[in-house]
Amino acid sequence: MIEKNEVLIETKDLRKNFGDLQVLKGISEKIYRGEVMTIIGPSGGGKSTFLRCLNMLEEPSGGQVIFEGVVLDAKSTDLNRHRQKIGMVFQQFNVFPHLTVLENITLAPTLELGVSKEDAEKEALELLKMVGLEEKVHEYPRKLSGGQKQRLAIVRALAMHPDVMLFDEPTSALDPEMVKGVLDVIQDLAESGMTCVIVTHEMGFAKQISDRILFIDDGIVAESGTPEELFEHPQNPRTKDFLSKVLY
Amino acid sequence: MGLGPGLLDVLRDYYPIFLRGMVGTLKYAFIAVSLGSILGAFIALINLSKSKALNTLGAIYVNVLRGTPLLVQMYIAYFFIPIAIPALNSVSKEVYVLIALILNSSAYVSEIIRGGINSVDKGQTEAARSLGMTASHTMTKIVLPQAIKNILPALANEYIAMIKETSLAGTFMLYELMYTRTLLANKFLVWQPLFIIAAIYLVLTLVLSWGVRSMEKRFSVSD
């Protein structure tokens, strides 16, 4: 087990309202470097919103997000620079349809990090090989299956050399037979030491991969713990109720 | 007195006049839409900005220009600009009328551009920003290239509509198709030029519409 004592991301009393609706009601959590944290909970409970606050895709209504010691929601923060270090993978893939597979990966590193085209392409090819997409390098995303698009989205984020990867229900939009290929990539990544925060409905996967699981319900962390603590000995009645509905 | 010379006779005798009118029409429509597009892009950015105050200004601009007749706008430009901005007094009156056309076009184009940008899935912007791309790179490298295939056909349609709208400029002696009617009326040709002009407008719009349709088809293939 890796020593996990360096705090990578910390939230302090994180709140988010959409109009009158309080979606996050004050979440204070620490995510350590190298940690694999999954977030489970009922739909509408705030887990995706929490994740999206970590890279400021949602602007918090209150509280703080501190990434590598920098308060992200401070006005003076150069958000783009820090976002380069926070990879994100979306439920709907969001690959760029007007760019080839290769360009999807090389665009941000060349544009924002000043990496040369040759270096970016060389690395992109290695990344594509890693996820079994090397033959698609010059295709456009419309020729890819859902699972292939999601693997492309993962390596697109990795090309920026992030310190953490956020996954927002990465397999929820996939056909069942595509799920495993994507989960395998995430698992390899987690085992290589990448810090991962994963919102998922794949309970078996969460149980197997996580160092720690957060159960977010009604805008708060209702319970958290190791997979064993949460799945075998849940304390909170809401956790028990949720697990009884999703485990069968 | 009969009908006078036939359509073909008039066309044969005066085709240089019609030709010059047609070139004028295409030219004015092109100037209006291309300069209107540049201005319209700015208006679209104002309407898409996060500032409520700018949004309101942009909405007023678009609503006023789309909610009042172009002919009224041309009259105002024609008579009011020389009074309001004496420095422009020496400029040809053609420019005043063109300004009205450009402003009018910019209002329509801004809505076309805004619609095109809004048609791009929000997830595209989120993905780009999550990679740490700047707002302007996100716009120029991700959003606009995808918006353009919705924008270009609509812009071409705006050009076709503008070809008809420029007929109002003849009222102010700008040499375009409709103005040829005035020229030939002086030669006691009353009805023939009208049919010839109408036919030229029809051919222009039909041919260009056909071009736009094949452009749309090409774009939809790449989806």
Side-chain angles (χ1 to χ4, degrees), chain A residues 35 39 62 76 79 90 94 105 122 141 146 205:
Chain A
E35 185 176 34
I39 303 173
S76 58
L79 203 49
F90 300 85
N94 299 344
I105 302 172
K122 198 165 145 252
F205 181 67

Side-chain angles (χ1 to χ4, degrees), chain A residues 144-183:
Chain A
L144 303 184
S145 71
Q148 291 170 330
K149 281 182 192 161
Q150 194 62 302
R151 280 179 274 154
L152 168 60
I154 292 171
V155 291
R156 177 180 66 182
L158 289 178
M160 295 297 282
H161 300 284
D163 290 336
V164 56
M165 287 285 287
L166 311 178
F167 295 89
D168 189 3
E169 301 195 26
T171 58
S172 296
L174 293 177
D175 291 332
E177 72 272 24
M178 303 288 176
V179 171
K180 190 167 179 305
V182 170
L183 292 184

Side-chain angles (χ1 to χ4, degrees), chain B residues 57-68:
Chain B
L57 282 178
I60 291 172
Y61 180 91
V62 169
N63 283 324
V64 166
L65 283 167
R66 295 205 310 179
T68 57

Side-chain angles (χ1 to χ4, degrees), chain B:
Chain B
M1 195 175 122
L3 286 170
L7 290 175
L8 289 178
D9 296 327
V10 173
L11 188 58
R12 188 193 56 228
D13 293 346
Y14 297 104
Y15 76 88
I17 288 179
F18 290 114
L19 200 62
R20 191 174 159 198
M22 186 180 91
V23 169
T25 288
L26 291 171
K27 181 181 79 183
Y28 291 130
F30 182 76
I31 292 172
V33 175
S34 45
L35 294 186
S37 295
I38 296 169
L39 186 57
F42 281 107
I43 308 296
L45 288 181
I46 283 173
N47 279 323
L48 288 164
S49 82
K50 282 185 185 153
S51 156
K52 284 260 152 58
L54 285 179
N55 294 162
T56 308
L57 282 178
I60 291 172
Y61 180 91
V62 169
N63 283 324
V64 166
L65 283 167
R66 295 205 310 179
T68 57
L70 176 58
L71 188 58
V72 175
Q73 294 164 16
M74 285 177 163
Y75 269 106
I76 290 176
Y78 196 77
F79 290 111
F80 185 66
I81 291 177
I83 301 170
I85 315 169
L88 285 181
N89 253 330
S90 55
V91 175
S92 138
K93 297 233 159 185
E94 185 187 21
V95 173
Y96 306 156
V97 180
L98 268 176
I99 287 175
L101 275 172
I102 291 164
L103 293 184
N104 183 273
S105 180
S106 75
Y108 286 92
V109 170
S110 76
E111 288 298 282
I112 289 171
I113 293 176
R114 191 166 75 113
I117 287 173
N118 281 336
S119 72
V120 176
D121 180 21
K122 219 169 144 273
Q124 293 290 308
T125 302
E126 292 189 345
R129 299 312 302 276
S130 79
L131 287 165
M133 288 174 62
T134 61
S136 62
H137 281 155
T138 301
M139 186 53 86
T140 55
K141 302 288 181 182
I142 302 299
V143 177
L144 282 181
Q146 295 183 62
I148 209 86
K149 70 172 183 211
N150 290 330
I151 291 175
L152 274 187
L155 266 190
N157 282 325
E158 167 66 10
Y159 179 63
I160 294 169
M162 195 45 84
I163 282 174
K164 291 180 284 177
E165 301 282 326
T166 51
S167 61
L168 295 173
T171 314
F172 302 89
M173 313 290 206
L174 267 63
Y175 205 133
E176 47 70 63
L177 260 180
M178 200 57 195
Y179 181 64
T180 61
R181 186 206 72 86
T182 315
L183 291 177
L184 294 175
N186 294 335
K187 302 185 188 300
F188 306 105
L189 296 167
V190 176
W191 63 272
Q192 300 91 333
L194 290 174
F195 283 102
I196 293 170
I197 290 166
I200 296 175
Y201 275 120
L202 187 62
V203 169
L204 285 180
T205 54
L206 284 180
V207 167
L208 289 167
S209 299
W210 174 80
V212 174
R213 268 200 308 280
S214 53
M215 174 166 77
E216 280 171 332
K217 243 184 238 159
R218 261 231 327 274
F219 277 131
S220 67
V221 170
S222 77
D223 265 330

Side-chain angles (χ1 to χ4, degrees), chain A residues 21-106:
Chain A
L21 188 68
Q22 279 188 295
V23 181
L24 298 181
K25 299 175 180 172
I27 294 186
S28 301
E29 277 295 332
K30 287 179 177 144
I31 298 158
Y32 295 88
R33 192 181 287 277
E35 185 176 34
V36 178
M37 176 193 266
T38 55
I39 303 173
I40 62 171
S43 298
K47 42 188 200 311
S48 280
T49 306
F50 175 70
L51 193 76
R52 290 162 56 84
C53 280
L54 297 182
N55 68 349
M56 297 286 123
L57 278 190
E58 301 292 352
E59 212 176 308
S61 310
Q64 287 185 325
V65 178
I66 302 161
F67 171 67
E68 298 183 328
V70 178
V71 180
L72 291 188
D73 40 338
K75 283 257 181 295
S76 58
T77 301
D78 177 5
L79 203 49
N80 295 325
R81 203 158 58 79
H82 297 290
R83 274 181 174 150
Q84 289 161 8
K85 293 276 154 202
I86 309 176
M88 186 160 200
V89 174
F90 300 85
Q91 183 177 354
Q92 299 297 336
F93 327 133
N94 299 344
V95 292
F96 303 133
H98 62 300
L99 300 179
T100 64
V101 166
L102 186 68
E103 291 164 341
N104 260 275
I105 302 172
T106 57

